[in-house]
């Protein structure tokens, strides 16, 4: 892998667990003949940023090694992927002096390397503690999705600043003139300071109510910035989503 010299201070970590309530073994599911975790990993290394999968599972570890990927084993029972990547960082990569850590969810097979390069550039040019992605959705055609609690909404203020994240359909539209809303994509670019502070803080009431870990730092006043993706992603939450991803890949010319 040939890393971009301008991004030598950036690291991508992909937490990947085998256990899942709705979709056990999800990282190993096949999408047009290739595992999802391999697709996510290959897209990440196309950013020319150093990338590792972080897992607690033998099968996933061996599979990543088989396709030539870099993998770190962290077996601790932790409640979030963010905590798992922090353990990996502290135990195996602490001497690298990274300034930015990008947490890429292992169920976003359509996220592209250029998206991650754009995100880190956006972060470098801002004063945000954490940056992330959102997708602009036309309200007229996505009303059901907007009401779905599984779809996390981002409320944006000025200059890309995130004001709030919620599973509820927010913000409230008093005059019924809504034309769009923003779907949050669960990819986070942390500064080392913000990642350390995430682990230092206890779970907050808002985080527990919404079941959204990003509200922990936000509750303590740290700022989140969002970059709007120029193309649509399809996250894999349940087995039925595989067909949607495969259809999209075929439309893009992948077989």
């Amino acid at each position: 892998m040939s890393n971009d010299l301008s991004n030598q201070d950036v690291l991508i970590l992909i937490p990947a667990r085998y256990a899942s309530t709705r979709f056990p073994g999800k990282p190993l599911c096949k999408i047009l003949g290739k595992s999802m975790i391999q697709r996510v990993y290959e897209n990440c290394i196309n950013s020319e940023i150093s990338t590792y999968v972080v897992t607690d599972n033998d099968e996933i570890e061996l599979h990543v090694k088989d396709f030539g990927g870099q993998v770190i084993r962290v077996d601790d029972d932790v409640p979030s992927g963010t905590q798992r990547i922090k353990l990996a960082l502290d135990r195996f990569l602490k001497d690298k002096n990274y300034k930015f850590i990008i947490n890429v969810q292992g169920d976003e097979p359509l996220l592209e390397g250029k998206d991650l390069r754009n995100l880190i550039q956006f972060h470098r040019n801002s004063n945000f503690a954490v940056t992330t992605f959102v997708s602009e959705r036309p309200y007229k055609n996505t009303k059901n999705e907007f009401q779905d609690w599984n779809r996390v909404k981002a409320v944006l203020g000025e200059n890309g600043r995130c004001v709030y994240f919620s599973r509820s359909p927010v913000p409230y539209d008093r005059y019924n003139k809504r034309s769009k809303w923003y779907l949050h994509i669960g990819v986070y670019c942390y500064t080392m300071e913000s990642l350390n502070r995430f682990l230092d803080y206890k779970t907050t009431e808002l985080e527990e109510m919404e079941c959204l870990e990003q509200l922990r730092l936000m509750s303590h006043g740290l700022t989140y910035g969002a970059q709007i993706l120029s193309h649509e992603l399809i996250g894999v939450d349940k087995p039925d989503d595989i067909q949607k991803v495969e259809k999209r890949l075929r439309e893009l010319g992948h077989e």
Side-chain angles (χ1 to χ4, degrees):
M1 178 172 54
S2 175
N3 295 333
D4 184 344
L5 293 176
S6 66
N7 284 328
Q8 289 291 311
D9 58 351
V10 186
L11 175 68
I12 296 172
L13 294 175
I14 309 168
R17 296 178 65 245
Y18 189 91
S20 171
T21 302
R22 289 182 293 178
F23 196 169
K26 180 166 65 171
L28 300 175
C29 71
K30 289 292 194 293
I31 299 175
L32 294 183
K34 184 181 291 187
S35 74
M36 181 163 64
I37 192 63
Q38 183 173 354
R39 288 189 178 277
V40 173
Y41 182 88
E42 290 177 351
N43 288 343
C44 286
I45 64 172
N46 283 340
S47 68
E48 298 190 313
I49 297 172
S50 183
T51 301
Y52 291 83
V53 173
V54 183
T55 189
D56 60 351
N57 179 263
D58 290 342
E59 195 172 350
I60 294 173
E61 180 184 14
L62 290 174
H63 176 64
V64 174
K65 289 179 177 177
D66 282 346
F67 68 68
Q70 299 187 105
V71 61
I72 294 173
R73 185 66 177 261
V74 174
D75 287 340
D76 305 57
D77 184 15
V78 293
S80 73
T82 302
Q83 287 175 282
R84 191 171 302 281
I85 67 168
K86 185 60 167 59
L87 288 173
L89 186 65
D90 287 346
R91 291 175 183 173
F92 301 100
L93 300 165
K94 200 168 186 177
D95 61 333
K96 300 294 186 180
N97 296 317
Y98 292 109
K99 293 182 179 179
F100 299 94
I101 307 298
I102 304 178
N103 180 353
V104 173
Q105 302 302 309
D107 55 8
E108 291 287 355
L110 299 181
L111 185 70
E112 299 177 2
K114 65 180 181 181
D115 299 325
L116 296 166
R117 289 195 301 272
N118 290 339
L119 182 65
I120 192 64
Q121 183 177 2
F122 171 67
H123 201 148
R124 290 187 194 278
N125 293 331
S126 77
N127 293 316
F128 296 121
V130 187
T131 53
T132 188
F133 288 121
V134 296
S135 175
E136 185 177 300
R137 311 288 284 160
Y139 178 67
K140 183 178 180 180
N141 300 325
T142 61
K143 292 181 181 180
N144 291 337
E145 186 180 6
F146 185 60
Q147 297 290 333
D148 187 349
W149 71 271
N150 288 303
R151 297 293 187 253
V152 178
K153 296 84 189 174
V155 180
L156 299 191
E158 298 301 315
N159 300 317
R161 179 176 177 176
C162 298
V163 178
Y164 192 62
F165 298 95
S166 182
R167 296 185 181 277
S168 296
V170 293
Y172 174 70
D173 183 11
R174 179 179 179 183
Y175 299 105
N176 197 29
K177 293 182 178 181
R178 188 192 314 277
S179 62
K180 62 186 178 182
W181 59 282
Y182 294 101
L183 174 69
H184 180 228
I185 308 300
V187 174
Y188 301 98
C189 180
Y190 295 96
T191 61
M192 281 303 305
E193 179 185 3
S194 64
L195 182 58
N196 288 332
R197 291 178 72 175
F198 179 90
L199 274 300
D200 288 341
Y201 291 138
K202 293 181 180 179
T203 303
T204 63
E205 182 179 9
L206 282 176
E207 178 185 357
E208 291 181 346
M209 288 175 64
E210 293 267 17
C211 195
L212 296 175
E213 68 176 8
Q214 60 267 44
L215 294 179
R216 184 182 309 183
L217 289 179
M218 186 171 280
S219 295
H220 285 278
L222 275 74
T223 56
Y224 281 71
Q227 187 169 57
I228 301 173
L229 281 173
S230 59
H231 63 100
E232 183 179 358
L233 298 185
I234 302 173
V236 178
D237 296 317
K238 52 190 185 298
D240 291 349
D241 293 327
I242 296 296
Q243 293 182 349
K244 299 175 186 177
V245 174
E246 290 183 332
K247 178 182 177 182
R248 182 58 181 151
L249 285 171
R250 290 191 178 100
E251 290 171 351
L252 294 171
H254 299 280
E255 290 294 341

